[in-house]
């Protein structure tokens, strides 16, 4: 799971999902549609805006797993992305909390549990097209919630969820030019 917003203890949380664009879409395709769907499984707040921001640095994923309702997190494992680290405990974000484009690629209101989709915005289209054109720039998105006050956190299920339907999903439409 990953969270976005501020937990009851005042700690800020951000998720970092990424998808293999170049491995799934033919080179040279024109991206025509992008939808990101996340399943929000736990919240301590009412409706809050949650935005996707294009990440500008690579990050890792270790095997740490938070216990219980996961609000307190877990000790990081080697290779994990943390608030300070891109890869625990050997590399750091240039700015704590992750380095991402300050302009959001998409934003959506998130309230109660369930599926939320960030629709085909110009920002999402540009992100996925750029990642297809230059796979080395694909670091995914930072999922950023309301960080201005406490108790706004939203927990989203990750690719490790046992229920495949609750895993993050990326729907991409594209066109190919015939030569």
């Amino acid at each position: 799971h990953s969270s976005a917003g501020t937990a009851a203890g005042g700690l800020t949380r951000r998720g970092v999902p990424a998808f293999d664009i170049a491995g799934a879409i033919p080179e040279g395709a024109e991206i025509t549609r992008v939808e990101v769907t996340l399943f929000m499984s736990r919240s301590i707040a009412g409706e809050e805006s949650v935005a996707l921001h294009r990440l500008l640095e690579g990050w890792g994923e270790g095997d740490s797993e938070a216990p219980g309702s996961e609000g307190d997190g877990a000790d990081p494992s080697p290779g994990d992305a943390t608030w300070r680290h891109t890869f625990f405990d050997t590399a750091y974000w240039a700015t704590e909390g992750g380095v991402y484009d300050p302009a959001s690629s998409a934003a959506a209101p998130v309230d109660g549990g369930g599926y939320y989709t960030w629709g085909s915005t110009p920002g999402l289209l540009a992100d996925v097209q750029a990642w297809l054109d230059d796979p080395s720039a694909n670091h995914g998105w930072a999922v950023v919630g309301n960080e201005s006050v406490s108790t706004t956190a939203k927990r989203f299920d990750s690719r490790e969820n046992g229920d495949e339907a609750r895993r993050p999903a990326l729907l991409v439409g594209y066109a190919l030019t015939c030569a």
Side-chain angles (χ1 to χ4, degrees):
H1 296 99
S2 65
S3 296
T6 306
L11 297 175
T12 303
R13 305 280 194 230
R14 294 181 185 148
V16 286
F19 299 88
D20 180 11
I21 306 301
I25 300 171
E27 184 178 343
E30 176 190 352
I31 304 303
T32 59
R33 178 180 174 196
V34 174
E35 292 181 0
V36 178
T37 300
L38 302 176
F39 186 85
M40 200 279 292
S41 57
R42 186 173 178 88
S43 178
I44 57 174
E47 183 176 292
E48 296 289 347
S49 180
V50 175
L52 304 177
H53 293 259
R54 183 174 43 88
L55 280 162
L56 303 176
E57 289 185 301
W59 50 273
E61 183 177 12
D63 61 3
S64 63
E65 206 163 313
S69 62
E70 302 173 345
D72 291 329
D75 290 336
S77 296
D80 273 338
T82 70
W83 189 257
R84 296 180 57 217
H85 296 92
T86 53
F87 297 87
F88 182 80
D89 66 341
T90 59
Y92 294 85
W93 294 106
T95 301
E96 287 189 359
V99 178
Y100 55 84
D101 188 328
S104 70
S105 300
V110 176
D111 196 358
Y115 295 94
Y116 290 90
T117 298
W118 287 258
S120 202
T121 65
L124 291 179
L125 288 167
D127 292 348
V128 173
Q129 186 70 60
W131 296 336
L132 177 62
D133 296 343
D134 180 8
S136 69
N138 181 1
H139 308 301
W141 290 284
V143 182
V144 180
N146 179 357
E147 299 175 354
S148 64
V149 296
S150 187
T151 65
T152 62
K154 305 288 185 185
R155 182 181 75 184
F156 295 96
D157 289 355
S158 67
R159 69 182 180 94
E160 288 83 12
N161 192 292
D163 182 349
E164 191 171 321
R166 290 186 171 194
R167 296 175 185 168
L170 177 65
L171 173 69
V172 178
Y174 61 88
L176 295 172
T177 304
C178 296

